[in-house]
Each structure stands twice: as structure tokens, then as C-alpha cells.
Amino acid sequence: MSELPATELLPLPAAGRTFTAERTARLGDVDPNGAVRLDAVARYLQDVATDDAVDAGFSNAMGWLVRRSLIRVATPAVLNERLELTTFCTGFGRSWAERRTTVRGANGAEIDGVSLWVQIDVESGRPARLTDEFVEVYGEAAAGRTVSSKFSLDRSPSPDASPVPNPFRATDLDVFGHLNNAAQWALADVVVQHHGLSRAGIGEIEFVTASQVEGEALVVVGDAGFDAWYGAVGDTSTVLRWRPLT
């Protein structure tokens, strides 16, 4: 039986491929207090995943789209902090794979992420089955673990949700013509900043369909964090949830 995807922060594999890279938190990554924003963290995770696939010589290194992600921030990164990112595969299915990433900083940053990526044919944009090449590169680290591609967040906005200004711009569109997955974490960060929520927390995001710049953002905030929905009116394309650790 396959596991729900991108819900567990599994440890480093006992064997198999891992990939490590470094980043430095720059001015464009942080909020007014100097803490790294959630969309910047998501970009780090996205970029190191691509770096890994390119380094492995994977023939379809750019042919992946994120379906779901979970980010746990125990200690936020800060401006100019040097970060070490290690990423590895923790399971896969027919056309998708789960990827774990750890982020550790020279100043004590502790961030973990896990995402479900769907492999696509870059010409048609349709899901493509994983190949023997993928299994050869990442299969040992996955250790036979299989994951589903199911969603777990409620895509129906709460009746208590209120509209908030749309934070997205044309510059957030990617080569596929829709809002980039990392850029969409900006909605979560806007709510965190506006409501003064703790940056230590667990965020989850699911991409139901491709999102466009013209959309409506709905948010409900409570003592236990917030839930948010984005998309065309009456048609949710992205679901977000944030739960502070403190």
C-alpha cells in the first residue's frame, strides 16, 4: 500500500544517492527583520532538486512539476547565513517521486522539506512514466518505498475565509506559463508577516491545477495558524496551510 506523499520527514537513506549543495541567504531572500521568507526557502528546495537531477545526468532533468510540498522551519535562516542543503529520493510511483531536503545553516538554521514531483513530457506537458534511468539513479535511496499522488488538504475554502490582496505578478510565471511553485509560497509569507505569526512552523501546499496571475486569494486565520486558497473565483488551484511550532 502506498504512503500519502510529502507528509513525512524521513531521515537520510542508509544507502543510495544523496546530493549536497550550498546557498547563501541574500537580500532578496529575507523579510524586513532579516529572516528568510518561505518563498525563498521553497526556491532553494526547487533549485537544489534541479541541480541534483542535472548533476546525475538525468535526461529529463527539467521535466518535473511540484504537486505537493511540506516545509518545517524549526529555526529560520537569516541574512548572509551560509546554508548546506542535502537532498535525496524517499519514494516514487508511476509518474511521480518524493524528494526530501534538509537545510542546515552556519548560524543554526534548521529547515526540512519534502515534496512530491510529477515527471512530465516537456513538449506535451502531460505526465510521463518514470523510466529505468530514474530507478537506476534514485531507486536505491528510495529503498522500495512507494508513494501515492493523492491530495490531503481541503480544496474547498472555509466559509469564514476572507479575501486578501493578490501577491502575485507576471514575473512569477515560469517557462510553463503558470505561477511557479516556489513563488506561490509568497502568499503564505504575506499572511505570516501581516499577522505577526511565528516563522517557526510547518507549512503545506498543494497544487490542484496550474495557477495564473489573475486569481483570488482567500485566507482564514486563527490561533492555530492559517489556511489559504488561491485560484479563479470558484475554482481553487492552490491550497496552503501554516501551523506555528510555538
Side-chain angles (χ1 to χ4, degrees):
M1 182 177 179
S2 62
E3 304 285 345
L4 282 175
T7 56
E8 295 184 76
L9 295 169
L10 298 177
L12 282 165
R17 179 180 174 85
T18 65
F19 177 82
T20 299
E22 291 188 342
R23 296 288 189 276
T24 299
R26 301 299 190 188
L27 279 172
D29 301 330
V30 301
D31 68 12
N33 295 317
V36 172
R37 303 186 313 273
L38 290 169
D39 57 306
V41 171
R43 189 174 69 252
Y44 297 158
L45 303 185
Q46 174 179 270
D47 290 348
V48 76
T50 300
D51 290 349
D52 176 27
V54 171
D55 180 77
F58 198 51
S59 61
N60 194 30
M62 301 300 294
W64 294 86
L65 294 175
V66 175
R67 183 174 175 88
R68 174 185 158 84
S69 290
L70 179 149
I71 295 175
R72 182 182 189 275
V73 182
T75 304
V78 297
L79 179 63
N80 292 327
E81 186 169 3
R82 194 65 177 168
L83 305 171
E84 182 179 89
L85 296 88
T86 300
T87 188
F88 47 95
C89 179
T90 48
F92 54 88
R94 185 181 66 251
S95 303
W96 52 85
E98 185 182 87
R99 176 182 287 276
R100 264 280 281 130
T101 306
T102 64
V103 184
R104 299 295 182 265
N107 297 341
E110 182 179 340
I111 303 169
D112 289 279
V114 58
S115 298
L116 184 77
W117 292 73
V118 177
Q119 182 170 250
I120 63 166
D121 182 309
V122 293
E123 294 185 1
S124 68
R126 298 183 63 82
R129 283 183 176 273
L130 300 185
T131 63
D132 292 341
E133 178 190 31
F134 176 90
V135 177
E136 181 179 348
V137 173
Y138 296 113
E140 185 178 13
R145 183 171 178 266
T146 60
V147 293
S148 75
S149 60
K150 293 180 179 179
F151 290 122
S152 56
L153 300 181
D154 187 354
R155 68 183 66 177
S156 299
S158 166
D160 298 324
S162 301
V164 297
N166 182 342
F168 304 120
R169 308 163 297 171
T171 52
D172 293 324
L173 294 173
D174 60 22
V175 70
F176 298 107
H178 53 69
L179 289 174
N180 183 261
N181 97 87
Q184 292 192 65
W185 280 91
L187 175 57
D189 211 274
V190 165
V191 180
V192 167
Q193 291 190 49
H194 181 74
H195 290 275
L197 300 177
S198 172
R199 284 204 169 278
I202 298 177
E204 297 174 80
I205 191 169
E206 293 179 349
F207 304 102
V208 182
T209 60
S211 291
Q212 302 300 318
V213 174
E214 300 80 11
E216 179 183 54
L218 299 171
V219 176
V220 57
V221 181
D223 294 337
F226 71 84
D227 295 271
W229 298 263
Y230 179 81
V233 176
D235 186 15
T236 299
S237 57
T238 302
V239 186
L240 271 159
R241 180 165 66 186
W242 178 257
R243 297 293 184 263
L245 293 178
T246 57

